[in-house]
Amino acid sequence: MAQQFDVVVIGAGPGGYVAAIRAAQLGLKTAVIEKWRSGDGKPVFGGTCLNVGCIPSKALLDSSHRFHEAAHGLAVHGIGAREVTIDVPAMLKRKRRIVDQLTGGIAGLFKANGVTALAGSGRLLAGRRVEFSAHDGTVETIDAANVILATGSAPIEIPAAPFGGPIVDSAGALEFDAVPRRLGVVGAGVIGLELGSVWARIGAEVVVIEALPDFLLAVDRQVSKDALKILRAQGLDIRLNARVTATEVGEGGVGVTYVEGEEEKRAEFDRLIVAVGRRPVTAGLLAPDCGVNLEERGFVHVNEHCATDMPGVYAIGDIVRGPMLAHKAMEEGVMVAERIAGRKTQLNYDGIPAIIYTHPEIAWVGPGEQQLKAAGQEFKAGVFPFAASGRALAANDAVGIVKLLTDAADDRVLGCHIVGPGAADLVQQVVIAMEFGASAEDIALTVFGHPTLSEAVHEAALAALGHAIHIPNRKPR
Ligand code: FAD
Ligand code: NAD
């Protein structure tokens, strides 16, 4: 007889593994199918995020930041450090150790929660049955009362720069065994800026080729302009309105032809990272009669609760609409597991923060000024520069701004966009405020420790109200 489960999850990335653990916690008999395996054939959990995404990229961002600080940021403190060197293989080894620790941890969590982990590929058939093809070649059909699809995403390839040799995707860019002398990056998005920064900090000359004339379109214009200035000053040569038209792989690297504005240009690189976005992974996942429909660009069609068109089948994370972020995938996993268990959990899609882990970080939640204007929303903006923050100055990190946006009618916080030190953690404070329906006045009346970077959020709220203390107000109120 076919194995039977209350919940079968296909894919054990942040969406799938969190969904499986939460479902098991709620007493549901749960299995998770994952096809990723290590060189020695063992199943590997954690998906893109843990293996080739969030975690390894942050490990390299941290290592490269420390190198850069030691080489260039200590003299101002009166600290002398001679001969700062970087051992790239050691840096990669540390990254791999962290990845192994975390992916192994997921296997432990599955065991502790009673989740059945199945190593192989899953495919959804009609009637909520799941075909499981194990790595050893055996195929079985599993009966599932509920199915959660969580198969994630993969890098987009462009015809002008097909992957191979010196042309790599984000996973390849986490594995360079030496610092490229000249590194090209196609796409000034999250991956391009994070991985471009990693290699630039440890000595690569980095040119970033971005198709759009605007930098970081989702970010408030004032903040993105500031971020562009800061990153260019760090040496990232960011070319906007530039499109790669051809590449030529040769012995020493890759020649890239691109059109910047109207002008055709050529550049030679040792390596080229192509980071122009990701696409949902659904190929071969759905039997034609399984009842689940796809949208235009291959995303699985779901409602606001991640239910597909087939009752009892859900889809979460990078294969559905919304930002491709690990925390969004995880919270969708929790929402779906809880709804299967009969709870009425919802996800507030307006309160999902986004962070780019450059230094300084760029972080935001909610709309920026240009989106509010386009929506016809009356708003107030409060801006506070880190140049006026005692803590940022003490840390020699006083660049960037906090911009808080509030509803002109009732003072409710609508969004916050930050470039500056600690932006990732600062924006989280505003996310909490927004979850509680806070106004700028609520933040203004909250006591913030001194001297902290958080005071920049406090002052931005005061600025929105017209009475910031540590900067002049346009019209004090
Ligand atoms: P995935 O993590 O892609 O997992 C899907 C899993 O499903 C995979 O393990 C895959 O092997 C498995 N699978 C696919 N098909 C099948 C099948 N048929 N049968 C069985 N298994 C299958 N997000 C952040 O929030 N913060 C960050 O700092 C961040 N950094 C990133 C850095 C990089 C370089 C990249 C590439 C991404 C980064 N992301 C970050 C994005 C984040 O990794 C994704 O949003 C997240 O991993 C999506 O989770 P998921 O569970 O939907 O899919
Ligand atoms: P992205 O959408 O962030 O950026 C892609 C960039 O490439 C855009 O600016 C786009 O205009 C540009 N582009 C597209 N086609 C181009 C072309 N032909 N030539 C030049 N430029 C082109 O995508 P990404 O950086 O590949 O990241 C993929 C996903 O992974 C993102 O959705 C992101 O949310 C997620 N991610 C998140 C983090 C994080 O949270 N810190 C880190 C890495 C990745």
Side-chain angles (χ1 to χ4, degrees):
M1 205 178 98
Q3 291 198 70
Q4 295 193 328
F5 289 94
D6 297 323
V7 180
V8 172
V9 184
I10 305 181
Y17 84 72
V18 168
I21 290 172
R22 187 69 190 117
Q25 284 175 347
L26 290 162
L28 298 163
K29 188 182 173 203
T30 304
V32 60
I33 303 175
E34 173 55 58
K35 70 175 181 187
W36 204 308
R37 53 180 155 168
S38 61
D40 54 6
K42 291 206 184 105
V44 176
F45 305 112
T48 304
C49 175
L50 265 62
N51 289 286
V52 291
C54 327
I55 300 302
S57 60
K58 266 78 257 177
L60 296 189
L61 278 158
D62 239 296
S63 297
S64 57
H65 178 62
R66 277 161 205 266
F67 170 83
H68 197 263
E69 275 293 285
H72 308 287
L74 296 184
V76 69
H77 297 277
I79 303 170
R82 254 175 258 132
E83 271 210 70
V84 180
T85 58
I86 182 84
D87 176 346
V88 173
M91 179 175 83
L92 297 188
K93 201 166 154 193
R94 185 189 89 94
K95 175 205 74 169
R96 288 187 199 120
R97 207 173 46 239
I98 296 162
V99 167
D100 288 347
Q101 184 181 336
L102 288 174
T103 54
I106 305 291
L109 288 172
F110 283 161
K111 214 177 219 173
N113 285 284
V115 173
T116 302
L118 302 170
S121 281
R123 180 165 188 259
L124 182 67
L125 307 176
R128 283 194 305 271
R129 281 170 311 124
V130 174
E131 182 182 84
F132 165 54
S133 308
H135 290 315
D136 65 11
T138 55
V139 179
E140 68 171 293
T141 302
I142 300 171
D143 287 335
N146 299 276
V147 178
I148 304 176
L149 307 171
T151 49
S153 65
I156 292 175
E157 193 168 17
I158 51 172
F163 297 131
I167 306 179
V168 299
D169 62 10
S170 54
L174 295 166
E175 290 294 333
F176 294 156
D177 52 7
V179 181
R181 199 177 60 77
R182 278 185 61 76
L183 173 65
V185 180
V186 187
V190 193
I191 293 178
L193 296 177
E194 289 187 358
L195 297 184
S197 295
V198 164
W199 297 105
R201 289 170 188 169
I202 56 179
E205 270 175 51
V206 178
V207 178
V208 186
I209 300 169
E210 163 61 45
L212 293 179
D214 289 314
F215 182 62
L216 294 179
L217 211 52
V219 180
D220 180 90
R221 285 302 77 203
Q222 190 179 357
V223 173
S224 66
K225 270 191 193 145
D226 219 17
L228 180 60
K229 214 163 47 183
I230 293 167
L231 294 174
R232 277 182 171 157
Q234 290 175 2
L236 282 186
D237 181 354
I238 300 169
R239 312 275 175 98
L240 299 176
N241 201 11
R243 202 169 266 280
V244 173
T245 50
T247 51
E248 200 180 298
V249 174
E251 288 237 324
V254 50
V256 174
T257 309
Y258 62 100
V259 178
E260 188 174 354
E262 304 282 290
E263 200 184 335
E264 185 170 279
K265 298 187 173 172
R266 203 181 143 79
E268 301 292 330
F269 300 111
D270 302 324
R271 306 270 198 159
L272 183 70
I273 305 173
V274 179
V276 295
R278 295 175 63 84
R279 58 172 175 79
V281 171
T282 50
L285 175 67
L286 305 170
D289 56 351
C290 71
V292 171
N293 294 305
L294 296 181
E295 291 170 357
E296 250 172 49
R297 287 165 53 226
F299 290 96
V300 175
H301 179 70
V302 288
N303 69 9
E304 73 275 25
H305 300 132
C306 291
T308 69
D309 297 329
M310 172 71 189
V313 179
Y314 303 82
I316 59 173
D318 283 7
I319 52 164
V320 299
R321 81 288 172 265
M324 286 184 167
L325 295 171
H327 43 282
K328 176 258 194 188
M330 292 187 197
E331 293 308 323
E332 286 182 334
V334 170
M335 171 176 72
V336 165
E338 296 195 349
R339 292 188 80 85
I340 290 171
R343 302 191 179 184
K344 299 283 177 240
T345 312
Q346 311 234 11
L347 178 52
N348 175 11
Y349 283 93
D350 294 332
I352 298 176
I355 301 137
I356 305 178
Y357 294 84
T358 44
H359 191 95
E361 292 162 343
I362 304 160
W364 68 98
V365 60
E369 193 163 324
Q370 72 273 16
Q371 286 114 333
L372 290 173
K373 279 183 182 151
Q377 165 80 50
E378 297 279 321
F379 65 92
K380 285 185 184 151
V383 176
F384 186 78
F386 284 99
S389 153
R391 187 61 201 266
L393 282 164
N396 197 40
D397 227 356
V399 292
I401 56 172
V402 174
K403 182 168 182 178
L404 193 81
L405 296 145
T406 60
D407 191 323
D410 63 7
D411 191 33
R412 200 167 35 92
V413 177
L414 299 172
C416 182
H417 292 233
I418 306 174
V419 54
D425 294 298
L426 298 188
V427 84
Q428 198 59 49
Q429 302 180 5
V430 180
V431 174
I432 295 172
M434 286 169 69
E435 278 297 322
F436 284 81
S439 62
E441 192 179 19
D442 291 322
I443 298 178
L445 290 171
T446 303
V447 181
F448 285 72
H450 177 74
T452 60
L453 295 172
S454 306
E455 288 172 299
V457 172
H458 190 216
E459 286 277 352
L462 289 169
L465 294 165
H467 52 89
I469 298 295
H470 292 93
I471 48 166
N473 297 282
R474 253 183 261 156
K475 285 190 216 148
R477 268 171 271 152

